[in-house]
């Protein structure tokens, strides 16, 4: 009875161990490589899987976890990110700088990842470093600083092609920091400051030029307006004077007509008007406070004749 009991317990324990070693539950996006007696047998899929205990075993591969290499029988099929430390590179114009990069990749063929390369994370890191040095070595400093997308694309294409035989797909490469030496940074800062000063001077000069142009245009417009106003003023003045002369001539013609009607055609009315002008002029000369001498016109005899005409006019009435 006692031996039978212990045998049953042994069988139960052995059965539990066998079931535990035979049953493998694989999470989604993970897999395991199963070897049978040291030879590749199958690649397990997500879900419940059964293997032959003590004959089948999962192959261990090197993985990078928290910056350290370790062995694991689980292969992660999700996209992974490697953050490589800064490394020194030299540009085409012999400028040494530090660059660190992020690599986004995915294992698409677990068989190749397990059997085509011994240490996949280390191989990817070394390949990334050497490829980055080669690409930067073909570029000058200015191109390196301004062509980050171009470098990323070149690096991704080269790494994707090189890692294809390892069952890895490189999805994206991003350069995080590009750090030139301090001397180069100081020179770049001075160059940028000089460029900013140059743009400020150009903008100031353009502003002054525009202001002078606007001022000259304003002065030109003002001069044109003033000339136009003077022209209009002269035209109106001339028109006014012409109108005044016309009215005056019309008035004198009317006066001559009336005088002719009054004195008849025997007496020239022009002599009458001329005599009035002479008398008016003599009155103005005589009443001037600064005039001591009165000059008679050369045609004084005409004046007397005109006055005589006026006398005859009154006699005839």
């Amino acid at each position: 009875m006692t031996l039978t009991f212990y045998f049953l317990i042994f069988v139960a324990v052995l059965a539990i161990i066998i079931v535990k070693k035979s049953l493998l539950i694989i999470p989604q996006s993970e897999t395991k490589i199963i070897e049978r007696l040291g030879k590749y047998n199958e690649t397990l899929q997500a879900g419940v899987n059964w293997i032959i205990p003590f004959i089948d075993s999962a192959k261990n591969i090197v993985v990078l976890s928290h910056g350290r290499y370790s062995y694991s029988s689980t292969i992660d099929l999700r996209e992974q990110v490697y953050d490589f430390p800064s490394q020194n590179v030299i540009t085409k114009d012999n400028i040494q700088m530090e660059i660190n990069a992020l690599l986004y990749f995915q294992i698409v063929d677990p068989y190749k990842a397990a059997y085509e390369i011994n240490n996949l994370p280390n191989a990817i890191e070394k390949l990334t470093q050497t490829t980055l040095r080669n690409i930067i070595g073909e570029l000058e400093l200015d191109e390196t600083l301004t062509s980050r997308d171009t470098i990323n694309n070149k690096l991704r294409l080269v790494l994707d092609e090189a890692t294809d035989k390892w069952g890895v797909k490189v999805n994206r490469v991003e350069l995080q920091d590009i750090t030139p030496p301090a001397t180069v940074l100081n020179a770049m800062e001075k160059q940028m400051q000089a460029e900013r000063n140059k743009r400020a001077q150009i903008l100031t000069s353009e502003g002054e030029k525009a202001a002078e142009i606007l001022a000259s245009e304003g002065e030109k417009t003002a001069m044109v307006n003033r000339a136009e106003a003077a022209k209009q003023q002269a035209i109106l003045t001339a028109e006014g004077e012409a109108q005044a002369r016309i009215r005056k001539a019309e008035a004198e013609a009317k006066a001559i007509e009336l005088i002719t009607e009054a004195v008849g055609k025997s007496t020239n009315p022009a002599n009458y008007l001329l005599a009035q002008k002479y008398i008016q002029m003599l009155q103005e000369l005589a009443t001037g406070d600064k005039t001591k001498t009165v000059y008679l016109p050369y045609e004084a005899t005409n004046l007397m004749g005109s006055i005589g005409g006026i006398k005859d006019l009154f006699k005839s009435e």
Side-chain angles (χ1 to χ4, degrees):
M1 183 65 181
T2 303
L3 290 177
T4 303
F5 177 73
Y6 285 121
F7 178 74
L8 292 175
I9 292 176
F10 172 76
V11 171
V13 172
L14 181 60
I16 293 173
I17 293 174
I18 291 173
V19 171
K20 183 177 180 181
K21 285 188 172 294
S22 301
L23 177 63
L24 289 178
I25 298 176
I26 306 299
Q28 186 66 36
S29 300
E30 292 183 0
T31 188
K32 289 180 182 290
I33 299 294
I34 301 300
E35 293 179 337
R36 179 165 295 171
L37 299 177
K39 184 179 179 180
Y40 171 78
N41 182 51
E42 63 175 333
T43 300
L44 300 182
Q45 302 298 323
V48 179
N49 295 271
W50 294 95
I51 62 174
I52 301 174
F54 309 110
I55 296 178
D56 293 343
S57 61
K59 180 175 178 56
N60 291 325
I61 63 172
V62 179
V63 297
L64 182 63
S65 177
H66 303 291
R68 303 182 63 179
Y69 295 115
S70 61
Y71 283 95
S72 174
S73 61
T74 300
I75 300 176
D76 196 342
L77 300 179
R78 295 172 297 181
E79 187 175 74
Q80 303 177 56
V81 182
Y82 282 177
D83 185 2
F84 299 114
S86 299
Q87 60 175 322
N88 294 325
V89 295
I90 299 176
T91 61
K92 186 178 180 180
D93 47 355
N94 294 323
I95 303 297
Q96 184 175 356
M97 61 176 65
E98 291 186 352
I99 296 180
N100 64 336
L102 289 176
L103 179 67
Y104 296 82
F105 71 96
Q106 188 174 8
I107 297 176
V108 295
D109 191 338
Y111 177 84
K112 291 182 179 179
Y115 293 104
E116 296 294 336
I117 186 69
N118 180 28
N119 188 339
L120 180 62
N122 186 56
I124 293 176
E125 180 180 355
K126 299 303 181 187
L127 181 62
T128 303
Q129 291 176 348
T130 54
T131 306
L132 186 59
R133 288 195 185 100
N134 293 335
I135 294 175
I136 298 299
E138 297 175 352
L139 302 174
E140 294 184 352
L141 176 61
D142 292 340
E143 294 176 322
T144 304
L145 296 176
T146 58
S147 306
R148 182 171 296 198
D149 291 339
T150 303
I151 297 173
N152 291 339
N153 290 330
K154 285 185 177 179
L155 195 57
R156 186 189 64 79
L157 292 175
V158 173
L159 292 177
D160 187 46
E161 182 178 358
T163 57
D164 182 65
K165 64 178 181 180
W166 301 337
V168 172
K169 174 68 176 176
V170 176
N171 296 324
R172 190 166 69 253
V173 178
E174 295 289 344
L175 297 182
Q176 280 190 298
D177 298 318
I178 300 177
T179 308
T183 55
V184 176
L185 287 176
N186 292 334
M188 293 171 62
E189 181 65 25
K190 292 180 180 178
Q191 183 180 2
M192 292 174 62
Q193 184 62 39
E195 187 67 24
R196 286 194 290 268
N197 294 337
K198 176 184 176 182
R199 288 200 297 268
Q201 291 179 354
I202 291 174
L203 292 176
T204 302
S205 300
E206 290 179 350
E208 293 176 351
K209 177 183 177 182
E212 290 181 357
I213 291 174
L214 291 175
S216 61
E217 290 180 350
E219 185 178 356
K220 176 184 176 182
T221 303
M223 292 176 65
V224 170
N225 291 336
R226 286 195 293 270
E228 188 67 24
K231 175 184 175 182
Q232 293 296 330
Q233 183 180 6
I235 291 173
L236 292 175
T237 301
E239 290 178 353
E241 291 177 353
Q243 292 292 332
R245 288 182 180 179
I246 291 173
R247 294 288 186 270
K248 187 176 181 181
E250 290 176 352
E252 290 178 351
K254 187 67 176 179
I256 292 173
E257 182 178 354
L258 293 175
I259 292 171
T260 303
E261 293 177 356
V263 299
K265 296 183 179 178
S266 59
T267 303
N268 188 2
N271 292 334
Y272 172 76
L273 295 175
L274 183 61
Q276 283 188 331
K277 294 289 184 183
Y278 278 130
I279 293 171
Q280 183 179 359
M281 181 187 66
L282 290 173
Q283 285 179 347
E284 292 176 355
L285 292 175
T287 55
D289 55 350
K290 297 180 180 179
T291 304
K292 300 299 183 182
T293 306
V294 176
Y295 295 93
L296 291 177
Y298 178 75
E299 296 84 357
T301 53
N302 295 333
L303 171 62
M304 298 306 295
S306 299
I307 295 173
I310 295 174
K311 179 181 177 182
D312 294 338
L313 175 64
F314 286 107
K315 283 182 178 181
S316 64
E317 291 178 352

